[in-house]
Amino acid sequence: MPNSYVLKSGTIVNEGNRIEGDIAIDDFGRISQIGGTATAKCEIDVAGSWILPGMIDDQVHFREPGMEHKATIATESRAALAGGITSYMEMPNCIPQTINRSRLLDKHDRASKRSLANYGFYLGATNDNLEDIKSVDQEKACGVKVFMGASTGNMLVDDLQTLEGIFASCPLVIATHCEDTPTILENEAAARERFGANAPPEIHARVRSAEACLKSSSLAVDLAKRLGSRLHVLHLTTAIEMDLFDTGPIESKRITAEVCIHHLYFNSDSYQTKGADIKCNPSVKSPADQLALQAALDEDRIDVIATDHAPHTQQEKQLPFLDAPAGVPLVEFAMPCVLEFVKNGTYKLEHIVQKVAHAPARLFEVKERGFLREGYWADIVVVNPNRATNVGESVLHSKCGWSPFTGTSFSTQVTDTFVNGNLMYSRGEFLSDKCGMALQYNR
C-alpha cells in the first residue's frame, strides 16, 4: 500500500522509548511503519526533531454555543493544532448547557463541520438531570463533568443526595471541578469589603483558597471510594490535596488526577506582572504548591496534563480584578510550555508524552489514538527541540487574541501537526481545513 507521508530520520518518542528512524502514514490516515527506512509520495526531513503522539487535551472550553464572541470550535481547534493538540474533550458549561442527549448531539454536529482537531464532549451534571446521566450515550460522551464548585456557567452541583446518585450510577468517568463554594463566597465577600472590586490580583489565591479545594476534592474522593466510582479530579492546585491520590501507573487506578500547564508554569508571584491574565478557577497558588504539583507529576501521583483552555475577551479581562472573569487561553502554546520542563531538566521527554497522550487515551479508553502504533490513526506532532517559540511575535490564533505567555520565549517549537494522517499545520502555516473526527472509545 502506498504511503502519503514519511517523516524521515526523526527521534520517535513513544511508550517510554526513543528510536531513530522514519514513520510512515498510509493513504487512509493510519500509521503504516515505525522505524527503519520508508518511502512515500511526500517525504519530510525531520532530522534532529522529536516525533510525538499528538496531545489529547481532556479539558477545554471552546465557548460554543452561546459565547462565540469569546471563541468558537473553529478558531480554538485551529489554535490547538499550532500547540500540538490533535484531540480535545470539551466542557458542557456553554449556553445552553450540554446536559442532555439532544444538546450533546448538537455539539457533535457543530464539530463535525468546524473542528480541525478530533473531538469529544462531556455531558454536564446538574442538581436535577440524574436520569440523563444514567442513560448517557457512551459513544457520544467522553465522560460526565460535575462542578462541585461554582465556576463559569452556573452548573454547581451541591446537593449531597444528587452527588451520591451520580457517583453511584454514572456509567462513565466522573470528571470533577473541586472547590467548596461557601468557603469561596465567604472569602470573596471579605475581599470585597476590604478592597472593593479593585482588589490586588494575588488575593485570588486566598479567595479560591487551598482549604476550599481540599474540602471539595476530599469529598469527591470519599464518595468515589465509598460508591466505587471512576473519578478523575481536574486541575489540582495545592500541596495539601496530593495525599488524596496514589502513586503508580494509571492502569491500576480508579481515582486519577490532572494538573494544568498554567498551574505547573505560574505561581502566585506571577500575579504581580500578569494580573487578571492568569486569573482562573481554581486559582494559581503559592510557589510551594507549584513545586508540590511538579513533584506529584514526577512520581505519578498526578496522571494527566491538560490545559483547561478557557478564553475571555481582552475587554472582559480588563474589568476590576474581582469582576474580571476567570479563565485563560492556553491551547496554542500547550506543547512548547510543557516541553520547557523537559528542556530545563525537570522531566524526561518520555514522561511528558505519557502525561499528555498515553494517559488520557487510557483513562478515557480512546480508541486507536494517543500512541504511535502501526495501524493507529496518524495523530502526530513534530517538535524542533532547538527552535524557539516567541509568544507575541506573530498573530495569535485563539479568537480572544491574547495569551498569558506574551513576552515568553519557549525553547521548542511545534513545526508539523498531523490529524488523521492529514498534514494540517506546518512551519507556521495551516495547510488544510479538513475536519477532524469524533473520538471513539473502547467501551
Side-chain angles (χ1 to χ4, degrees):
M1 183 181 300
N3 293 314
S4 293
Y5 294 96
V6 167
L7 301 176
K8 302 288 293 183
S9 306
T11 300
I12 301 166
V13 185
N14 185 59
E15 299 184 75
N17 297 308
R18 299 189 195 195
I19 63 171
E20 304 294 325
D22 299 353
I23 187 164
I25 302 169
D26 68 25
D27 285 347
F28 297 99
R30 304 269 184 169
I31 298 172
S32 57
Q33 181 178 325
I34 298 173
T37 302
T39 60
K41 302 168 190 174
C42 180
E43 298 183 359
I44 303 172
D45 182 4
V46 294
S49 292
W50 299 332
I51 303 174
L52 314 176
M55 182 173 177
I56 300 175
D57 191 347
D58 76 353
Q59 187 182 186
V60 302
H61 302 261
F62 283 178
R63 305 303 194 199
E64 184 181 344
M67 292 177 278
E68 287 89 345
H69 69 287
K70 300 177 191 279
T72 68
I73 288 172
T75 60
E76 307 316 287
S77 64
R78 183 181 177 91
L81 298 185
I85 296 166
T86 54
S87 300
Y88 63 84
M89 299 176 185
E90 207 265 349
M91 289 296 171
N93 52 330
C94 48
I95 303 171
Q97 300 159 346
T98 316
I99 56 175
N100 57 41
R101 176 178 170 80
S102 65
R103 293 178 186 175
L104 195 59
L105 292 176
D106 175 67
K107 274 198 173 176
H108 273 270
D109 182 61
R110 290 168 180 266
S112 71
K113 301 169 184 174
R114 304 169 197 175
S115 179
L116 299 187
N118 303 314
Y119 50 89
F121 297 103
Y122 290 88
L123 181 73
T126 69
N127 278 324
D128 55 9
N129 76 332
L130 181 57
E131 294 306 312
D132 292 284
I133 292 169
K134 289 179 179 179
S135 61
V136 61
D137 186 338
Q138 297 187 41
E139 294 184 359
K140 295 298 183 182
C142 56
V144 170
K145 174 65 180 289
V146 182
F147 285 91
M148 294 178 65
S151 189
T152 304
N154 192 28
M155 292 185 68
L156 175 65
V157 181
D158 58 358
D159 180 79
L160 183 58
Q161 185 175 354
T162 298
L163 285 171
E164 289 180 338
I166 293 169
F167 276 72
S169 57
C170 180
L172 298 176
V173 174
I174 300 168
T176 55
H177 176 132
C178 288
E179 294 182 283
D180 182 65
T181 295
T183 300
I184 293 167
L185 293 176
E186 182 180 346
N187 292 342
E188 183 176 348
R192 286 185 181 274
E193 183 176 355
R194 181 179 177 187
F195 298 106
N198 285 303
E202 61 268 20
I203 199 74
H204 195 55
R206 300 197 292 275
V207 170
R208 297 263 172 174
S209 65
E211 292 73 22
C213 293
L214 179 63
K215 187 171 183 179
S216 183
S217 56
S218 58
L219 172 60
V221 169
D222 177 70
L223 286 168
K225 288 181 175 178
R226 179 158 53 89
L227 299 171
S229 318
R230 179 66 185 86
L231 172 66
H232 185 49
V233 182
L234 301 169
H235 45 41
L236 287 157
T237 60
T238 75
I240 58 175
E241 292 174 284
M242 293 303 98
D243 286 343
L244 295 173
F245 304 96
D246 295 331
T247 61
I250 195 169
E251 297 91 333
S252 66
K253 298 180 182 181
R254 295 281 296 170
I255 298 173
T256 52
E258 175 205 274
V259 69
C260 292
I261 60 174
H262 49 303
H263 294 124
L264 290 172
Y265 190 82
F266 296 113
N267 61 50
S268 54
D269 293 342
S270 308
Y271 288 116
Q272 296 179 16
T273 56
K274 295 296 181 180
D277 283 0
I278 59 165
K279 183 182 180 182
C280 57
N281 299 335
S283 61
V284 170
K285 294 188 173 66
S286 72
D289 289 310
Q290 178 191 31
L291 290 174
L293 295 174
Q294 293 175 6
L297 187 71
D298 187 54
E299 65 187 10
D300 292 331
R301 194 178 298 276
I302 292 179
D303 305 284
V304 171
I305 298 173
T307 68
D308 194 16
H309 175 84
H312 298 283
T313 67
Q314 289 179 303
Q315 183 178 12
E316 290 167 331
K317 278 291 190 177
Q318 289 166 1
L319 291 170
F321 184 80
L322 287 179
D323 295 334
V328 182
L330 292 155
V331 293
E332 190 163 349
F333 303 102
M335 288 295 280
C337 180
V338 77
L339 289 174
E340 200 67 13
F341 292 98
V342 175
K343 294 290 285 187
N344 68 23
T346 304
Y347 305 118
K348 292 182 178 179
L349 177 57
E350 295 85 347
H351 196 65
I352 291 298
V353 170
Q354 163 70 17
K355 300 301 183 182
V356 302
H358 304 337
R362 288 186 170 120
L363 195 165
F364 291 93
E365 302 175 284
V366 176
K367 185 177 181 180
E368 297 176 340
R369 302 187 192 277
F371 301 86
L372 300 179
R373 294 175 177 171
E374 292 179 5
Y376 271 46
W377 289 107
D379 295 341
I380 299 172
V381 174
V382 180
V383 175
N384 187 325
N386 300 306
R387 183 183 297 171
T389 298
N390 299 312
V391 183
E393 285 191 354
S394 58
V395 175
L396 298 176
H397 300 293
S398 286
K399 186 172 183 178
C400 66
W402 65 274
S403 170
F405 299 123
T406 294
T408 302
S409 182
F410 294 119
S411 305
T412 65
Q413 186 177 110
V414 173
T415 58
D416 302 278
T417 302
F418 290 82
V419 179
N420 305 314
N422 301 301
L423 181 56
M424 304 294 293
Y425 174 83
S426 184
R427 276 65 176 179
E429 301 291 332
F430 292 91
L431 305 183
S432 174
D433 59 0
K434 188 174 179 62
C435 290
M437 298 179 179
L439 296 176
Q440 296 181 309
Y441 308 97
N442 293 309
R443 295 171 179 161

